[in-house]
Amino acid sequence: MLHKLSRYLLVLIGILTLAYSIPILYNTLFDKRINTPQILYSALNDDFYIRRHDDKKVLNPVDTKGKEYTQTQMLEQCPMFYAPSLHQSGLLPDSIDGVKIDIETWHKHFIMYGFLPQSLMNPSDEYRLFPLYEATEKITLPGDLCRINKRVEFVNTQSNKVNEEKSGLFTDAFEKEGFVFPAKIMAGNSSHNKNRVDGWFITDQRGDLFHLKMEKGQPLLKRIALPEDFKIKYMQYLEVQNEKLYCFIITEDNRLNILYAEDYEIVELPIYDYIPEEHSIYIMGNMLFYMFQVNTENSVAAYAVDHDHNIMDSYYEEFKPKSEMLMGKAFHFIFPFTLKLTHPRSDIRYTNYVKFNFEGFKTFNWIYLNLLLLVITYLLIRKRKLRLKNNMVDLLIVAATGIFGFIAINVFQNKEY
C-alpha cells in the first residue's frame, strides 16, 4: 500500500511539473509574434498614421485612407511626436492651429508612458521603505527612509534605528487627517535625480487618497477628495516637466483618470475598452492633445483626445489572435490546462507566498487527444499483461490530465506485486 501511495505522489508531482514546463517549452519553440502596428496622430491633417513591420523590416507607414508615405514624410506629418529631430533639421513648424510651437515648450508638455499587464503586476506602489525628500530645499538624499505600517516610521539608514520623535510627529499628522493605517497603494518617485519634489500619493486601508510632502521637516498631509464610487486599483506618478500633472489613476472598474495638480482635480479619460490585466496601453501627450493606443490580443485601438478630454478622432483595427492561428489551435489541442507560478510581487495585491494558478481553456479540443492517450494507455496495460482493475486509477489520471498524466504514469510505471 505504501509503495502505491509513494508512486501516486510522484505521479502528482510529475503532472504539476509537466503542466508548468511543457507549455513554456512549446511557446518557446513555436510561439509566433504578432507585430502590432504603431499608431500616430497628426495635428497637421487630423488623421492617423499606421506604421507596420514584419519580422524583417519596418514597412512604409500609411494613413487611414491607405496612402503610403516614406519614413521622413511621416516624421514631418507628425511633428508633435518627432519635434527634437525636426527641430535639429529645421523642419519643426512655427505653429499648429494657432498654437506657437518651440522645442522648450514641447519638452515641458511631452508625456510618454506605457502600461503593460506585467508592469501593473510588479507595481511601483509596493514600497516597504521609501525616501521622503524635503520639498523646500535642494534635492539631496535624506538620512532616513520612511515606512507606513501600523504607524509612520522613519528608519535611520546608518544605525537602522527608528527616529521616534520624527515618527511620532508624522503619525500624529496622519491620525489628524483620519488616515487608516497601514498604507495600501503608493505612487511617487524615489530617485533624487528629478527636477521637483511632489512627495507621495498614498491610499489608506479605506481607499481614501492623500498627498504627503515634507516642508522644513514638518509633515504636510492633504486628503484628496474622490468622486463617488471611485476605488483606486493602481496609480502611476508622472515624472514630467509639466507641473500641472500628478498621476495617472486606474480604478477597480478599469476607468483611466488623470490627477491634476490644480485643486487636485481628477478627470476621467474617454477610454472605455481598457482592461489593465489583459491589455497594454501607451499614452503620449503634448501641448495640443493626448493620444492613447490600446493593444489587445487581436486588436489595436487609438484615440486622439484634446485637453478638454474630448475624443477628437479614433482608429480601430482587428487581426487574427494567436488562439486562431495554427500554433494556438495546436496548443489547445495538446494541453487540457496549464500551470503558472505567480511570484509574490507579480500579484497586484502583494502576497508572501508563491501561488499556483491553473488555467483552463474555453474550447474542449484537448478531449480528442485525451481520448487517444486513454486508448493507448489501455493497450499498453494489455500489452504488459497487467490487471485492468489495478490500473483503473492510471486510466482516470490520463482521462483527466491528458498528456501530462500520460507521461507521468509511464515514467513512474505501476508495478504489480
Side-chain angles (χ1 to χ4, degrees):
M1 185 65 181
L2 184 60
H3 70 273
K4 283 187 174 293
L5 291 176
S6 300
R7 174 182 177 260
Y8 288 131
L9 178 61
L10 290 172
V11 169
L12 175 60
I13 294 173
I15 290 172
L16 295 176
T17 303
L18 293 168
Y20 172 73
S21 58
I22 294 183
I24 292 177
L25 178 62
Y26 178 91
N27 284 327
T28 301
L29 295 175
F30 303 110
D31 189 28
K32 180 176 177 61
R33 178 181 176 181
I34 296 178
N35 295 315
T36 304
Q38 180 189 15
I39 315 296
L40 298 175
Y41 182 74
S42 171
L44 289 177
N45 56 16
D46 301 324
D47 198 6
F48 288 98
Y49 288 80
I50 302 97
R51 172 188 276 174
R52 308 178 193 278
H53 55 93
D54 56 23
D55 295 333
K56 297 181 180 179
K57 63 178 181 178
V58 176
L59 306 178
N60 281 338
V62 296
D63 60 21
T64 56
K65 302 175 185 64
K67 182 179 178 181
E68 188 172 307
Y69 296 81
T70 65
Q71 299 294 334
T72 302
Q73 287 173 330
M74 191 196 69
L75 262 63
E76 295 176 0
Q77 293 295 324
C78 301
M80 302 314 295
F81 294 94
Y82 301 105
S85 298
L86 295 175
H87 174 71
Q88 286 185 346
S89 58
L91 297 175
L92 183 66
D94 295 329
S95 64
I96 298 177
D97 293 335
V99 178
K100 183 181 177 182
I101 307 296
D102 62 79
I103 196 63
E104 291 78 15
T105 308
W106 180 89
H107 276 295
K108 183 177 180 180
H109 290 84
F110 184 71
I111 301 170
M112 182 171 286
Y113 275 88
F115 299 131
L116 308 178
Q118 56 265 35
S119 68
L120 295 182
M121 290 185 173
N122 291 280
S124 60
D125 50 47
E126 292 292 357
Y127 290 100
R128 298 310 183 195
L129 287 167
F130 63 92
L132 183 60
Y133 295 95
E134 176 62 54
T136 59
E137 300 175 359
K138 182 181 178 181
I139 301 175
T140 56
L141 286 171
D144 52 33
L145 294 174
C146 180
R147 62 187 172 203
I148 307 174
N149 292 322
K150 294 181 179 179
R151 62 169 185 154
V152 182
E153 291 183 329
F154 287 87
V155 182
N156 187 282
T157 56
Q158 298 296 321
S159 65
N160 205 30
K161 293 182 179 180
V162 175
N163 184 330
E164 293 293 347
E165 181 180 355
K166 188 175 181 180
S167 300
L169 178 66
F170 275 75
T171 299
D172 290 343
F174 273 63
E175 291 176 345
K176 185 177 179 180
E177 282 293 320
F179 187 95
V180 180
F181 293 98
K184 191 176 181 181
I185 301 174
M186 300 183 64
N189 184 3
S190 60
S191 172
H192 71 282
N193 185 21
K194 50 189 174 183
N195 52 34
R196 68 178 192 270
V197 176
D198 285 331
W200 292 84
F201 298 87
I202 309 167
T203 64
D204 66 0
Q205 282 300 302
R206 262 194 320 235
D208 293 335
L209 180 60
F210 298 82
H211 185 196
L212 172 64
K213 296 176 74 174
M214 181 172 65
E215 295 185 355
K216 298 181 179 179
Q218 297 298 306
L220 184 62
L221 186 70
K222 294 182 180 180
R223 178 189 291 269
I224 299 174
L226 298 178
E228 188 176 354
D229 298 326
F230 193 90
K231 297 180 180 179
I232 298 174
K233 176 162 60 177
Y234 181 78
M235 291 190 295
Q236 174 63 56
Y237 171 73
L238 297 174
E239 180 58 32
V240 294
Q241 293 186 34
N242 189 346
E243 298 182 3
K244 295 180 180 180
L245 304 177
Y246 271 154
C247 292
F248 282 121
I249 299 176
I250 300 172
T251 60
E252 289 286 353
D253 55 358
N254 299 330
R255 288 179 290 163
L256 183 63
N257 305 264
I258 293 181
L259 173 62
Y260 285 96
E262 185 175 356
D263 299 326
Y264 294 108
E265 181 184 15
I266 297 175
V267 178
E268 182 179 353
L269 296 166
I271 311 299
Y272 304 115
D273 54 358
Y274 171 53
I275 303 174
E277 293 79 12
E278 300 177 11
H279 304 159
S280 303
I281 186 168
Y282 299 92
I283 303 169
M284 291 157 278
N286 53 63
M287 55 207 296
L288 299 179
F289 60 87
Y290 298 108
M291 208 209 84
F292 303 87
Q293 178 173 329
V294 180
N295 296 342
T296 74
E297 182 190 12
N298 66 327
S299 68
V300 56
Y303 306 90
V305 178
D306 63 25
H307 285 185
D308 292 324
H309 312 104
N310 300 310
I311 293 180
M312 302 158 56
D313 201 356
S314 62
Y315 174 83
Y316 182 77
E317 178 182 333
E318 283 190 355
F319 38 81
K320 184 183 290 188
K322 288 184 180 180
S323 58
E324 295 182 11
M325 297 179 182
L326 179 61
M327 56 84 58
K329 292 179 179 179
F331 188 94
H332 293 162
F333 177 81
I334 297 171
F335 306 119
F337 59 88
T338 61
L339 173 64
K340 294 184 178 180
L341 303 183
T342 303
H343 187 271
R345 284 195 177 273
S346 66
D347 194 306
I348 292 177
R349 293 162 182 81
Y350 180 81
T351 61
N352 291 319
Y353 307 97
V354 172
K355 296 168 64 178
F356 291 82
N357 295 323
F358 285 93
E359 294 187 0
F361 306 110
K362 295 179 181 179
T363 63
F364 293 92
N365 296 336
W366 49 267
I367 288 178
Y368 300 107
L369 181 60
N370 281 27
L371 291 175
L372 176 61
L373 294 174
L374 187 62
V375 172
I376 294 174
T377 302
Y378 173 79
L379 294 176
L380 288 174
I381 291 171
R382 287 301 190 188
K383 183 179 180 181
R384 294 168 184 163
K385 297 181 180 181
L386 301 175
R387 285 174 289 184
L388 186 61
K389 68 176 183 178
N390 291 343
N391 291 273
M392 289 301 296
V393 175
D394 283 12
L395 290 171
L396 291 174
I397 289 173
V398 173
T401 63
I403 190 170
F404 307 129
F406 179 79
I407 296 174
I409 66 167
N410 282 284
V411 171
F412 305 104
Q413 292 187 9
N414 191 12
K415 296 180 181 179
E416 297 183 356
Y417 294 91

